[in-house]
Amino acid sequence: GAGVSQSPSNKVTEKGKDVELRCDPISGHTALYWYRQSLGQGLEFLIYFQGNSAPDKSGLPSDRFSAERTGGSVSTLTIQRTQQEDSAVYLCASSLTGGLGEQYFGPGTRLTVT
Amino acid sequence: AQTVTQSQPEMSVQEAETVTLSCTYDTSENNYYLFWYKQPPSRQMILVIRQEAYKQQNATENRFSVNFQKAAKSFSLKISDSQLGDTAMYFCASLFNAGNMLTFGGGTRLMVKP
């Protein structure tokens, strides 16, 4: 079946602009995760959605970052007033059950802030 | 805090030979899973192998096997009969029962030479 998909594949934006990154998880997966991969910080967790529960936002680096998951499926990560340090690859993953269940990753969105 | 450390930023191996990638972690929990992910230039994170902490037997997947030393908190990956397609970044990661997210090591860039 189809895997996790993300769009756009690449995004170049000017400093100060807002961006939206999209993730389509594997159908039926209840858990969805966002991670960021950057040269300076490596791979770091951003946010986790599980079913209808309140998301775990403990990894969001600032209040310029927010995410939502509509209808328990598609998720959008929004970065407001982008800064150059936001340049990174943003990876989305989904899991059938969450918890200790296996996470399947999408191909990521490479964000470049100029 | 949970941490995962990969001490080898880069490694190389000749085609058909064996290579071992190192990983150590730190946790006070008893229930957790450990993973090795492969990330080729396409950016797609691919699960290579997983190990449940409660299992004493080391996991194997074809040419890939792990040496899990729970007391030493060590989790190394052995790749036998290395192939050119094994060239990629390899990330060690942990998933702890008390958390919702993967914690990644800094990665090891593996180059398989013909």
Side-chain angles (χ1 to χ4, degrees), chain B residues 3 18-19 28 35 43 55 65-66 70 72 76 83 88 92 99 112:
Chain B
T3 59
T18 296
V19 64
S28 56
F35 305 86
R43 294 198 310 246
K55 289 187 178 179
S65 62
V66 299
K70 190 171 183 179
S76 60
Q83 300 177 1
C92 178
V112 180

Side-chain angles (χ1 to χ4, degrees), chain B residues 9-101:
Chain B
E10 292 186 358
M11 293 195 71
S12 64
V13 63
Q14 292 296 132
E15 193 176 8
E17 295 190 347
T18 296
V19 64
T20 298
L21 308 183
S22 301
C23 173
T24 58
Y25 61 93
D26 189 21
T27 181
S28 56
E29 298 192 24
N30 282 319
N31 189 20
Y32 54 91
Y33 287 13
L34 298 166
F35 305 86
W36 279 97
Y37 280 91
K38 171 185 177 181
Q39 188 180 41
S42 66
R43 294 198 310 246
Q44 185 88 45
M45 294 284 275
I46 303 164
L47 180 64
V48 174
I49 198 165
R50 64 185 280 169
Q51 174 81 43
E52 292 89 336
Y54 63 86
K55 289 187 178 179
Q56 293 185 332
Q57 186 172 7
N58 288 326
T60 63
E61 286 288 341
N62 300 313
R63 298 183 295 107
F64 300 88
S65 62
V66 299
N67 182 5
F68 175 46
Q69 300 290 326
K70 190 171 183 179
K73 296 180 181 174
S74 170
F75 181 62
S76 60
L77 174 69
K78 186 171 82 171
I79 306 175
S80 303
D81 185 26
S82 297
Q83 300 177 1
L84 296 179
D86 295 334
T87 293
M89 282 289 291
Y90 286 81
F91 291 94
C92 178
S94 61
L95 188 58
F96 301 102
N97 196 36
N100 298 317
M101 72 295 290

Side-chain angles (χ1 to χ4, degrees), chain A residues 4 8-10 33 35 37 42-45 48 56 58 89 91 99-110, chain B residues 31-33 35 37 39 41-47 50 89 91 95-106:
Chain A
V4 178
S9 178
N10 292 282
Y33 310 76
Y35 295 88
Q37 184 174 21
L43 270 155
E44 53 184 347
F45 164 78
Y48 162 66
D56 177 353
S58 60
V89 174
L91 294 167
L100 292 173
E102 182 174 335
Q103 296 181 24
Y104 297 83
F105 283 81
T109 293
R110 180 178 296 281
Chain B
N31 189 20
Y32 54 91
Y33 287 13
F35 305 86
Y37 280 91
Q39 188 180 41
S42 66
R43 294 198 310 246
Q44 185 88 45
M45 294 284 275
I46 303 164
L47 180 64
R50 64 185 280 169
M89 282 289 291
F91 291 94
L95 188 58
F96 301 102
N97 196 36
N100 298 317
M101 72 295 290
L102 288 164
T103 300
F104 289 90

